Amino acid sequence: MGIFEKIIKLDRRIIFLVIFLSVIFPLIFKVNIPINITPEVRNVYNLIENLPEGSVIVVPCEYAPDTMAELEPMLYAVLRHCWEKNLRVVACGFYVTGVTLIEQEIKYMAKQMNKKYGKDYIFLGYRPYPAAVINSMGEDFRQSFPTDYYGTPLDSLPMMRGVKNFNDTKLVLTINATSGVDYWVLFGHERYGFPLAIGVTAVMAADYYHYLNSGQIVGIIGGLKGAAEYESLVHHKGLATMGMSIQSFVHLVIVLFIIIGNIAYFVIRKRKGINR
Amino acid sequence: MSTDPGIWLAAILTLCIFSFLYKDNPFYKFVEHLSVGVSAGYWLVIIIRQSLKQTFLDPLIQGQWQLVPGKLGIFLLIFPAFMGILLFTRFSNKWAYIARYPIAMLWGIGVGASIPLSLQNYIIRQLQATMVPITFNSWEDVGSLFIAIGVITGLVYFYFSKEHKGAFGGAAKVGIWILMIGFGSTFGFTVMARVSLLIGRVIFLMKDWLGIIS
């Protein structure tokens, strides 16, 4: 068996091992790769940057541990930006397996930024049927969430005084790993007209660019790359920036595998005299 | 190295899942079943606590339904709960038909709310975004031209009432190329997402568990 036949029949476990090693290598040797800011991420940043102090933004988070590698750094970067600008955050989660994860992440970030619950942020928790919940939030947040995640009535939380529905908020930024994005566009933006931005996993990003083109969303933070861009914008390099350096290195290895695999494939075909 | 038992448990479970990459084994199977079981239990607790308790039981016991203006307050609380309970009649052969009423209600409301908004969102707004004047003043205008070409040729490719020959066939060929570029970009994003998940786990193992990196 020649070298090309060996390449074509390469044990997939060797590929797994090489990919694993390509993740570890830049992690240990701290390879830094510059990150370019895309307009769709800058749009989100600029919108938040230009909001007046004390504005309320709604941050629905719909993801679970399976996608936290991409979306957790995104949430941290966005919250850091919001709280540096002294914005007030109303967070909620419509994805049942991620509720406590999101609650912990928001709490962690609030502690880092020295923000107080009820004054600078609240967490509404989970309710089923996002479409119905978004509709009722458009009328009054208290319809679906008479109490917050901890059972405290919304009216007794200082930051919710004077905040009735989306009309009293400046932006909805959903960080989402589900089809819940469509609900926010369909039942939220289209019906109530608030500015909507989305932070999604890389798998989903390509499917939502048409909303950007049609002006239904103001920006997209897509996957780890988007999170790394946002970290650069808020001048706080974290897990996403570290991850993107590794990501770029792994991509090079994958491209190399694709090129070698294709060369081997075509050489073998030529040897066998297959023209098409 | 971490001394937190939670981190150790998560690390061991992660390694059990990764062991599948070598070959299927009992450790992987155990963690797979554990994950399904824990998720189901967690799901149930959150639904009971966040939905049933906070939106039905607490308001009912504490009389918070009176906050809803008018005399319909209690009705708005009891009626949906009653309809929800009717769904459980599916477990009885004799009474199963009753479950159709709440299902019909859910479908009716869902379809009624979705159709006009879906038309607006998925068709009208997207058509508006496609039908923009094509000029050549900036690179964005060139992008608009590509979108128009992509939409038209993509539609031609999916038009099967006429044979794909001549100019029509050429347009269909352009359409399939554009579709391939779209699939390629989606696949590229997918690879990026999966690698991100691997990176997340490796960082967890090396930073939080082993403490090799800071």
Side-chain angles (χ1 to χ4, degrees), chain A residues 51-78:
Chain A
L51 289 177
E53 198 171 297
S55 301
V56 176
I57 86 161
V58 182
V59 184
C61 304
E62 298 171 41
Y63 62 90
D66 55 346
T67 46
M68 70 184 275
E70 284 185 281
L71 300 181
E72 185 187 69
M74 201 183 284
L75 177 66
Y76 284 160
V78 166

Side-chain angles (χ1 to χ4, degrees), chain A residues 192-257:
Chain A
Y192 297 105
F194 51 71
L196 175 68
I198 63 171
V200 291
T201 61
V203 175
M204 298 162 64
D207 292 339
Y208 289 105
Y209 269 84
H210 63 92
Y211 286 140
L212 192 67
N213 187 49
S214 61
Q216 288 165 289
I217 55 173
V218 290
I220 298 181
I221 311 173
L224 203 64
K225 167 81 165 62
E229 289 176 42
Y230 213 95
E231 282 181 355
S232 293
L233 285 166
V234 294
H235 307 294
H236 186 92
K237 293 187 174 176
L239 280 176
T241 309
M242 185 200 275
M244 271 320 290
S245 303
I246 305 167
Q247 179 93 249
S248 307
F249 193 77
V250 176
H251 283 186
L252 281 176
V253 174
I254 292 172
V255 169
L256 204 66
F257 269 124

Side-chain angles (χ1 to χ4, degrees), chain A residues 23-33 242 245-246, chain B residues 207 212-214:
Chain A
V23 171
I24 291 177
F25 177 77
L27 199 59
I28 292 173
F29 294 99
K30 307 259 186 240
V31 179
N32 282 318
I33 290 169
M242 185 200 275
S245 303
I246 305 167
Chain B
K207 183 170 169 273
I212 295 172
I213 55 163
S214 55

Side-chain angles (χ1 to χ4, degrees), chain A residues 5-23:
Chain A
E5 281 80 7
K6 277 183 185 166
I7 287 171
I8 286 294
K9 288 180 180 165
L10 189 69
D11 191 333
R12 65 191 172 93
R13 285 172 290 199
I14 294 172
I15 299 173
F16 294 152
L17 185 67
V18 174
I19 295 292
F20 187 72
L21 292 175
S22 359
V23 171

Side-chain angles (χ1 to χ4, degrees), chain B residues 149-171:
Chain B
I149 292 170
V151 170
I152 294 164
T153 56
L155 286 172
V156 166
Y157 175 72
F158 284 108
Y159 187 81
F160 300 117
S161 300
K162 183 175 162 55
E163 204 176 345
H164 289 183
K165 270 184 174 175
F168 195 76

Side-chain angles (χ1 to χ4, degrees), chain B residues 174-193:
Chain B
V174 173
I176 197 162
W177 271 97
I178 285 173
L179 287 173
M180 289 299 170
I181 292 168
F183 296 148
S185 109
T186 307
F187 182 65
F189 269 118
T190 305
V191 171
M192 191 164 122

